[in-house]
Amino acid sequence: MRTFRCLILLTLWASQLQNSRTTPLPERTSPSTQPTAEEEQLKEDNEMERSRSKRSWMWNQFFLLEEYTGSDYQYVGKLHSDQDKGDGSLKYILSGDGVGDLFVINENTGDIQATKRLDREEKPVYILRAQAVNRITGIPVEPKSEFVIKIHDINDNEPKFTQDLYTATVPEMSEVGAFVVQVTANDADDPTYGNSARVVYSILQGQPYFSVESETGIIKTALPNMDRENREQYKVVIQAKDMGGQLGGLSGTTVVNIALSDVNDNPPRFLQSTYQLRVLESSPVGSSIGKIKANDTDEGENAETEYHISEGDESNMFDIITDRDTQEGVITVKKPLDFEKKKLYTLTVEAVNSHINPRFLDLGPFKDYATIRITVDDVDEPPVFNKPAYEFEVKEDAKMSTIIGTVLAQDPDAIRSPVKYSLDRHTDMDRIFDIDSGNGSIYISKSLDRETVLWHNITVIATEISNPKQITRVPVFVKVLDINDNAPELAMLYEIFVCENTKSEQVIHTISAIDKDDSFNGLQFSFALATPAASSPNFTIKDNRDNTASILTRRNGYSRHEMSTYLLPVVISDYGYPIQSSTGTLTIRVCACDHRGNMQSCTAEALIHPTGLSTGALIAILLCIIILLVTVVLFAALRRQRKKEPLIVSKEDIRDNIVSYNDEGGGEEDTQAFDIGTLRNPEAIEDSKLRRDIVPETLFFPRRNQAARDNTDVRDFINQRLNDDDMDPTAPPYDSLATYAYEGNGSVAESLSSLESVTTDGDQDYDYLSDWGPRFKKLADMYGGADSDKDS
């Protein structure tokens, strides 16, 4: 067995030597006639095999070049067994990876050949098994021997980058050597065999701005202080070459787009040093005057700018705010302007970056200044009152035309146009006040009453005489001062009773008073009995000196039978000037009380008839009687309603609805609408029929009415029918509408209808219409005058 294996390897070695002598390898990557790197490497491997033969044979490993381009099959090796006598009795069999497709064996000689080009990147190793069998019997004469064919790599793959296009960003003004991006290229060749997969990076385009590390592919900045404002985009082309960058190596390229990102390295700058703005003095507070802008070549937050007024606005008349969308400074009015006070303002405005990078502070201050001249233009302003509001006081007893105060308004313009005054009558509907249009004096035109209206809120209007459109309003508050013009009165209607067994000098009640006038601190009212009652032996009054008074008895015991009610006149006076007083009468009733003083009864009748019913009991009895009567009436009404219940209970009941028929009819020729013969012949009218909407109480046969004879007057016909309906017992017991459509055949005027007028042979005489009274005068004039027109 060992002899077989050694023979195979020796044969393979000899065949390799013969192959190297007789079949040169194709030149693929280099036009040079000298041996290629792959050939040199294969030769070295074979030499190593020969050198190792002295020590130990690696019989199970063969090497084969990839990408063979010869016209014949590539020779791999030769199998030979020591059992082979050369008589053709043995047959060589090959099995394993690619046998029959990639590898074939001559069964007689044992020669192995590759039929196709092999690519190491597809499969680097093939495992095959060889065996010698008897050609006739098929019995193996040697066991299977396994060996490996390794495909030697050649440089047939160029490096490929992981991305066709790279995008990177690096801050502007970066230092030399700042990291930008790393690119990577992969080579499919064998990295363990030669330099086929050793990749080296170089830059083809993008110098001198960027550089690349040859081993790592890291791109770095190569120039300092690259300014984005000068150039923002760079295109860099990077090459990756295998074979360590040596001549003959394969290469691939990629593009790297590098953008410089912005940093705050530029301050804001005004386009001009002085700006001129104009504003009307009537511009409202908060309105915009104009806009200024300081340009910053940076972008994003690095270009954000804030504006401030640094000088020239000591009175704080203006303000400047930053528009975040446009980065403009908007100047606004902060306080009302007055052309007459100041016509020109000179401001110094500062523009400064919001986000300052300390790294670039040495480039200078990141701010700029500009001067703004604001001119105030004069406008025709309305009059201005010397106060925002006025408050006057007047006594309620002031006489007519009394001046309560004066308002003052002036034209603020330089021309000082005269002003006239008026009252807004919507605030003085009762016309209580009036004003002098020339000097603004407000005076009373009607009497005042503080108790009715304490405050009057009116509005005064000041108007320029030269321009009536210029008006100003001011509120005027008028307070009506009180005078003592109302007498005090009892606080309420008092109900006072005294017990029959009351002792003398006993307080039976306490009273108080009210006054519509203003109240003053301390004592307000005094109480006393009127002169006729001051010497009364029954009751007296005591002033408590705290605006109240006590009613006291002056004797022991009272009797309801002698006098059940006492009237006590009380005089109430105030302490105002002039003193006002009034007399109020107190009613004191004598009542029976228990031993504790609780009232029991205050009427004399209750003592005479102690066993009589009380008022409450009488009311209860009366209510019961009323309820009983109402119940009886309702019961009777319900029974009568059931007895007269109508047969037709419908929403279309003639008692509840009026049905209107607006059908005119077609005249005498229309026989489908109605029978006109019935109208002309009353005798043909059918007998009256019973009503079907109610149940009749008693069945009465309707009486046949005598038909009106020919030439009977319509009035007689209607009266006859009316009399018949009044006497008819079957007529409904409620109001109803009876329609009589009969004209009558014997009318003096005959038919007034125009239906038969066309059949009249001769002219009609309408003079009789004048005899019918003033109601037919119009007809008489129309038809009576027709003859005269015809005659004419």
Side-chain angles (χ1 to χ4, degrees):
M1 186 65 190
R2 179 183 300 273
T3 305
F4 174 75
R5 294 177 183 171
C6 293
L7 181 60
I8 294 175
L9 293 176
L10 289 173
T11 305
L12 176 62
W13 174 71
S15 65
Q16 290 285 359
L17 292 178
Q18 183 180 1
N19 187 38
S20 65
R21 291 196 301 267
T22 60
T23 307
L25 293 174
E27 299 175 359
R28 185 173 184 273
T29 59
S30 175
S32 175
T33 59
Q34 297 186 6
T36 63
E38 289 79 7
E39 293 173 345
E40 293 292 338
Q41 184 67 32
L42 183 58
K43 184 176 181 181
E44 291 177 3
D45 292 341
N46 293 330
E47 293 293 335
M48 292 175 64
E49 292 293 338
R50 288 198 297 270
S51 65
R52 280 199 295 267
S53 64
K54 298 179 181 180
R55 300 190 300 272
S56 175
W57 282 99
M58 296 297 296
W59 60 269
N60 61 344
Q61 183 169 335
F62 302 141
F63 296 92
L64 188 64
L65 287 176
E66 67 172 335
E67 303 292 345
Y68 173 72
T69 59
S71 60
D72 298 331
Y73 290 167
Q74 187 178 6
Y75 187 77
V76 178
K78 183 179 180 66
L79 297 179
H80 186 73
S81 174
D82 56 359
Q83 300 293 329
D84 188 359
K85 303 299 183 180
D87 56 0
S89 61
L90 295 182
K91 181 176 64 174
Y92 295 96
I93 300 174
L94 188 65
S95 63
D97 296 339
V99 173
D101 183 21
L102 296 178
F103 301 101
V104 294
I105 187 170
N106 190 324
E107 61 181 13
N108 296 321
T109 63
D111 293 329
I112 302 173
Q113 293 177 315
T115 62
K116 295 182 180 180
R117 297 172 60 182
L118 301 178
D119 189 354
R120 189 202 66 84
E121 285 71 39
E122 293 183 0
K123 190 174 180 65
V125 177
Y126 294 87
I127 300 174
L128 302 177
R129 288 173 293 278
Q131 190 176 27
V133 299
N134 188 286
R135 184 181 297 274
I136 298 174
T137 63
I139 298 174
V141 298
E142 295 284 350
K144 284 186 178 181
S145 297
E146 185 178 279
F147 61 94
V148 176
I149 299 177
K150 287 188 176 182
I151 309 301
H152 266 287
D153 184 41
I154 65 173
N155 191 17
D156 60 341
N157 291 280
E158 70 275 5
K160 292 185 178 180
F161 284 92
T162 57
Q163 295 178 220
D164 295 333
L165 178 65
Y166 288 83
T167 301
T169 302
V170 62
E172 64 172 331
M173 309 299 290
S174 296
E175 298 178 353
V176 175
F179 176 83
V180 179
V181 69
Q182 183 176 12
V183 296
T184 302
N186 298 322
D187 196 317
D189 294 325
D190 188 359
T192 63
Y193 183 77
N195 294 325
S196 299
R198 182 188 173 195
V199 179
V200 175
Y201 301 93
S202 61
I203 185 167
L204 301 181
Q205 178 182 335
Q207 296 174 331
Y209 307 104
F210 300 95
S211 63
V212 62
E213 292 184 357
S214 60
E215 299 294 334
T216 62
I218 295 176
I219 301 175
K220 299 180 180 180
T221 58
L223 282 181
N225 301 327
M226 286 189 291
D227 194 355
R228 184 196 66 86
E229 288 71 32
N230 294 331
R231 182 178 177 183
E232 183 176 1
Q233 297 289 338
Y234 293 86
K235 180 180 179 182
V236 178
V237 179
I238 302 295
Q239 175 185 264
K241 190 174 183 180
D242 59 13
M243 298 298 293
Q246 297 178 4
L247 184 64
L250 303 179
S251 64
T253 60
T254 187
V255 176
V256 183
N257 289 330
I258 302 176
L260 298 182
S261 60
D262 185 57
V263 297
N264 191 7
D265 59 338
N266 293 282
R269 290 287 181 263
F270 285 105
L271 297 180
Q272 56 193 70
S273 60
T274 304
Y275 293 86
Q276 299 288 341
L277 299 177
R278 306 188 74 88
V279 60
L280 297 175
E281 63 172 334
S282 60
S283 298
V285 174
S287 60
S288 174
I289 299 175
K291 298 180 180 180
I292 60 174
K293 184 175 182 179
N295 291 332
D296 193 328
T297 54
D298 296 325
E299 62 182 9
E301 68 174 15
N302 297 320
E304 291 183 1
T305 306
E306 294 180 356
Y307 298 88
H308 308 282
I309 299 176
S310 57
E311 296 179 5
D313 191 24
E314 293 76 11
S315 56
N316 202 20
M317 300 296 293
F318 303 96
D319 194 8
I320 185 169
I321 58 177
T322 302
D323 188 336
R324 294 301 178 185
D325 296 330
T326 62
Q327 297 301 317
E328 294 177 320
V330 182
I331 303 173
T332 60
V333 178
K334 194 173 183 179
K335 290 183 180 180
L337 302 173
D338 192 350
F339 171 81
E340 287 71 28
K341 291 183 178 179
K342 192 171 184 179
K343 302 176 179 61
L344 179 64
Y345 294 87
T346 302
L347 311 179
T348 300
V349 176
E350 173 190 65
V352 60
N353 278 142
S354 303
H355 307 280
I356 298 177
N357 192 335
R359 177 186 167 194
F360 304 106
L361 288 177
D362 56 341
L363 299 179
F366 284 79
K367 61 178 66 177
D368 196 14
Y369 298 91
T371 301
I372 302 177
R373 300 183 186 276
I374 302 176
T375 303
V376 181
D377 293 333
D378 187 24
V379 296
D380 189 6
E381 300 176 273
V384 177
F385 285 93
N386 61 348
K387 293 182 180 180
Y390 294 86
E391 182 177 336
F392 301 127
E393 294 181 349
V394 59
K395 291 186 176 181
E396 61 178 326
D397 63 341
K399 297 180 180 180
M400 299 290 183
S401 302
T402 299
I403 296 176
I404 62 175
T406 301
V407 297
L408 178 62
Q410 292 181 344
D411 182 11
D413 298 324
I415 58 175
R416 298 297 180 185
S417 174
V419 176
K420 66 176 181 179
Y421 303 92
S422 61
L423 288 180
D424 185 353
R425 289 304 176 184
H426 292 92
T427 62
D428 185 27
M429 301 294 290
D430 297 331
R431 295 183 175 270
I432 299 176
F433 302 96
D434 210 339
I435 190 171
D436 190 309
S437 62
N439 57 23
S441 298
I442 303 174
Y443 56 89
I444 302 172
S445 59
K446 287 185 180 180
S447 59
L448 303 173
D449 187 2
R450 190 203 68 86
E451 287 71 35
T452 302
V453 180
L454 176 61
W455 284 93
H456 294 271
N457 301 329
I458 60 177
T459 300
V460 176
I461 303 174
T463 306
E464 279 189 18
I465 296 179
S466 60
N467 186 4
K469 293 183 179 180
Q470 298 294 341
I471 62 174
T472 304
R473 300 171 181 268
V474 68
V476 178
F477 308 103
V478 180
K479 182 180 181 181
V480 181
L481 302 179
D482 185 46
I483 63 170
N484 195 23
D485 59 342
N486 291 280
E489 301 173 351
L490 290 174
M492 65 181 69
L493 181 63
Y494 291 96
E495 293 184 1
I496 305 175
F497 71 93
V498 60
C499 295
E500 289 182 310
N501 55 356
T502 301
K503 304 299 183 180
S504 178
E505 300 298 325
Q506 184 175 347
V507 177
I508 61 174
H509 208 84
T510 301
I511 62 174
S512 62
I514 57 174
D515 195 335
K516 295 180 180 180
D517 295 325
D518 271 341
S519 58
F520 301 96
N521 296 330
L523 190 61
Q524 300 179 28
F525 310 115
S526 64
F527 301 87
L529 292 179
T531 301
S535 58
S536 170
N538 300 311
F539 302 96
T540 186
I541 189 169
K542 177 184 176 182
D543 193 343
N544 297 325
R545 311 295 292 175
D546 61 354
N547 299 322
T548 64
S550 300
I551 308 300
L552 292 82
T553 58
R554 301 186 74 173
R555 62 177 182 149
N556 295 325
Y558 296 86
S559 174
R560 287 178 291 168
H561 302 292
E562 294 179 1
M563 181 172 291
S564 61
T565 303
Y566 292 90
L567 300 178
L568 187 65
V570 178
V571 178
I572 308 171
S573 304
D574 58 21
Y575 289 92
Y577 181 82
I579 296 175
Q580 299 288 342
S581 63
S582 66
T583 301
T585 301
L586 300 176
T587 301
I588 304 175
R589 301 170 63 191
V590 181
C591 302
C593 303
D594 57 14
H595 65 282
R596 295 181 180 179
N598 297 324
M599 182 184 66
Q600 292 182 337
S601 176
C602 295
T603 59
E605 290 76 5
L607 184 61
I608 299 174
H609 305 287
T611 59
L613 293 176
S614 64
T615 304
L618 292 175
I619 293 174
I621 293 172
L622 181 60
L623 287 176
C624 291
I625 294 173
I626 293 174
I627 292 173
L628 182 60
L629 290 176
V630 170
T631 303
V632 172
V633 171
L634 289 176
F635 181 77
L638 289 175
R639 288 196 61 185
R640 181 176 180 83
Q641 181 67 21
R642 278 199 305 271
K643 192 172 183 180
K644 300 228 178 197
E645 182 179 0
L647 293 176
I648 301 175
V649 181
S650 169
K651 293 182 179 179
E652 299 298 327
D653 197 329
I654 60 173
R655 292 168 291 176
D656 300 326
N657 299 276
I658 297 177
V659 182
S660 176
Y661 299 95
N662 295 324
D663 189 7
E664 185 173 333
E668 294 178 352
E669 300 298 330
D670 187 4
T671 59
Q672 300 296 328
F674 56 89
D675 187 5
I676 197 170
T678 304
L679 296 177
R680 295 180 175 177
N681 186 13
E683 294 179 356
I685 299 176
E686 296 181 0
D687 295 338
S688 300
K689 297 181 180 180
L690 297 178
R691 293 176 57 87
R692 293 181 296 173
D693 56 342
I694 62 173
V695 180
E697 295 181 1
T698 306
L699 185 60
F700 291 94
F701 292 98
R703 296 179 298 175
R704 181 177 297 275
N705 297 320
Q706 183 69 26
R709 299 298 179 184
D710 293 341
N711 300 326
T712 303
D713 188 63
V714 175
R715 182 181 301 173
D716 296 338
F717 170 77
I718 293 176
N719 289 334
Q720 178 183 350
R721 287 299 179 86
L722 181 60
N723 184 54
D724 292 343
D725 286 338
D726 290 340
M727 301 302 295
D728 187 1
T730 63
Y734 45 78
D735 293 339
S736 61
L737 180 64
T739 303
Y740 306 105
Y742 177 68
E743 289 186 3
N745 296 328
S747 174
V748 177
E750 296 185 354
S751 176
L752 297 179
S753 173
S754 61
L755 296 176
E756 297 180 356
S757 62
V758 296
T759 61
T760 305
D761 297 330
D763 296 335
Q764 296 286 342
D765 185 9
Y766 299 103
D767 294 339
Y768 59 86
L769 293 175
S770 302
D771 301 333
W772 285 10
R775 294 185 179 180
F776 295 89
K777 185 176 184 302
K778 185 66 176 180
L779 288 175
D781 294 340
M782 291 173 58
Y783 289 94
D787 296 338
S788 60
D789 294 339
K790 188 181 296 185
D791 296 339
S792 61

